[in-house]
Amino acid sequence: MSIDQAAGGTAPPTSSTVVALSGGVGGAKLVLGLAGVVDPSTLTVIANTGDDFDHLGLRVCPDIDTLVYTLSGLSNPDQGWGRAGETDHVMEVARTLGEETWFFLGDKDLAMHITRSRRLAVGESLTSITLDICERLGVDSRILPMSNDFVSTLVETADGVLPFQHYFVRDRCEPLVKGFRFDGAETAIANPQVLNALSDNRLRAVVVAPSNPFISIDPILAVSEIRSTLDGTPAPVVAVSPIVGGDSIKGPTAKMMRELKIDVSPVEVARRYADFLDGFVLDVVDAQLAPQIEAFGIPVQTANTVMDSLEDRVMLARVVLEFSDALSRRAGDNSVTE
Ligand code: FO1
């Protein structure tokens, strides 16, 4: 957001919209909180699709599905991914038929991959399929893939280059990470609905969820038009730290940082996002790090960012949006005095 763009910004207009950038499990928690704080129909979620892959002949889009299941109340609360009350009959038979079953697709979840694969094969876009599935499952928010084109995260490891799910699930994130590649991102066309959402004049806030920066947020930013549109958003861009007390809240972010020889600190996450960030939300336990982030010119808000309960998610979402509103007001005030 530029200061001029924020000029005149006072209270958010009643018809305001919110955009979140999210990966899977960790990001979906905050997205659920946001959907509880704003009118869900005004919330747009830009989903990472770098984790997508073909498995057992089906197109699997784990982050989209985690968001859909979370917002529809169908998700498995213990895992955070997949559906509650799953059975494994198909997987059991697939195993006896010699199929690779290291990536678990529950019987109910399989219907998602079957319908998506069939519809993709006849030329429907991933966006259209996802929005239709959202409607059918009672999700009022818009979940948008970053692109309709296939982008594939590759993990450069000491054991060679691995497709993301082979690294993440099959090899349990054990190989030492040396870097990441987002195959197809350079030529991928940004989802036009994503670009529209990010430039909408009614935009109140852009929230970068506490997802893994390397494998969840970077693939979205690797789609160049999304990255450049973020620079000109008419609302503050606020990120929530995925690192709390020197560790990741969920998943391998901290392990990856160690292996990439990056300090396991929210300061390093803020540094990665500094070019497009207007505000950073830091956990209360890391409050002493605020001056280091503010030194990048990024205002900081502390909050309880560990989202164990639904109340935690809603509370954090509220803090993030109020922080963003305060940044809008501050930018508006500055433009008057400058
Ligand atoms: N994660 C696992 O750790 N093991 C699995 O077998 C697995 C299956 C799976 C199926 C569908 C789906 O939507 C997600 C699934 N996940 C599984 C989660 C997924 O691999 C990761 O959470 C994301 O790709 C990272 O955001």
Side-chain angles (χ1 to χ4, degrees):
M1 178 190 64
S2 75
I3 283 170
D4 285 347
Q5 282 164 327
T10 50
T14 44
S15 61
S16 61
T17 59
V18 171
V19 172
L21 276 63
S22 179
V25 179
K29 289 185 178 182
L30 181 59
V31 167
L32 184 64
L34 289 167
V37 169
V38 299
D39 171 353
S41 68
T42 64
L43 174 64
T44 297
V45 188
I46 306 173
N48 168 42
T49 57
D51 296 6
D52 296 8
F53 78 132
D54 290 330
H55 186 54
L56 305 178
L58 300 169
R59 175 62 50 84
V60 182
C61 303
D63 289 356
I64 288 179
D65 292 349
T66 296
L67 288 160
V68 170
Y69 291 146
T70 301
L71 290 182
S72 60
L74 294 170
S75 70
N76 179 323
D78 302 323
Q79 293 169 168
W81 53 267
R83 289 181 63 143
E86 269 295 11
T87 49
D88 61 355
H89 301 300
V90 174
M91 278 284 136
E92 280 303 312
V93 181
R95 186 172 293 118
T96 62
L97 295 178
E99 293 292 336
E100 286 193 33
T101 53
W102 52 265
F103 193 85
F104 177 81
L105 297 178
D107 295 330
K108 293 181 186 175
D109 186 34
L110 269 161
M112 180 74 101
H113 314 304
I114 290 168
T115 190
R116 178 166 43 223
S117 304
R118 182 192 62 75
R119 292 169 71 165
L120 284 171
V122 295
E124 195 175 344
S125 73
L126 183 58
T127 301
S128 155
I129 298 166
T130 306
L131 291 175
D132 181 55
I133 287 169
C134 281
E135 197 181 326
R136 287 172 188 276
L137 295 183
V139 175
D140 292 330
S141 303
R142 276 195 311 169
I143 298 170
L144 297 175
M146 61 198 202
S147 171
N148 287 309
D149 299 331
F150 188 67
V151 175
S152 171
T153 297
L154 299 175
V155 188
E156 296 167 345
T157 78
D159 302 349
V161 178
L162 295 169
F164 176 73
Q165 297 295 351
H166 288 70
Y167 161 81
F168 194 83
V169 174
R170 191 196 63 187
D171 298 348
R172 297 178 297 276
C173 305
E174 281 164 9
L176 190 131
V177 167
K178 294 178 155 182
F180 303 92
R181 273 188 245 158
F182 309 114
D183 221 25
E186 251 176 58
T187 52
I189 297 169
N191 185 339
Q193 295 195 49
V194 162
L195 301 182
N196 285 341
L198 286 172
S199 6
D200 191 333
N201 277 332
R202 295 167 305 161
L203 193 59
R204 175 181 176 187
V206 177
V207 180
V208 181
S211 298
N212 185 311
F214 307 104
I215 56 169
S216 299
I217 303 299
D218 276 0
I220 301 176
L221 302 176
V223 180
S224 60
E225 258 196 296
I226 297 183
R227 174 65 193 80
S228 57
T229 305
L230 263 187
D231 285 329
T233 56
V237 183
V238 174
V240 179
S241 178
I243 298 289
V244 175
D247 208 349
S248 4
I249 301 180
K250 177 106 191 55
T253 310
K255 178 177 184 284
M256 288 173 174
M257 290 176 96
R258 277 192 294 274
E259 290 171 358
L260 293 168
K261 313 228 178 317
I262 301 171
D263 231 8
V264 184
S265 163
V267 178
E268 294 310 315
V269 178
R271 194 197 302 276
R272 277 187 95 71
Y273 297 156
D275 285 350
F276 60 85
L277 218 56
D278 298 299
F280 193 79
V281 178
L282 192 60
D283 195 88
V284 284
V285 304
D286 293 317
Q288 78 285 357
L289 299 173
Q292 289 182 59
I293 296 168
E294 284 160 349
F296 304 145
I298 303 170
V300 170
Q301 170 73 52
T302 55
N304 174 19
T305 64
V306 182
M307 295 174 280
D308 291 328
S309 66
L310 181 60
E311 289 74 43
D312 292 340
R313 289 160 214 203
V314 168
M315 280 228 301
L316 180 58
R318 194 164 282 134
V319 170
V320 170
L321 292 179
E322 282 170 4
F323 178 41
S324 173
D325 293 345
L327 293 170
S328 281
R329 282 193 294 274
R330 210 183 298 176
D333 291 349
N334 285 348
S335 75
V336 172
T337 53
E338 273 171 3

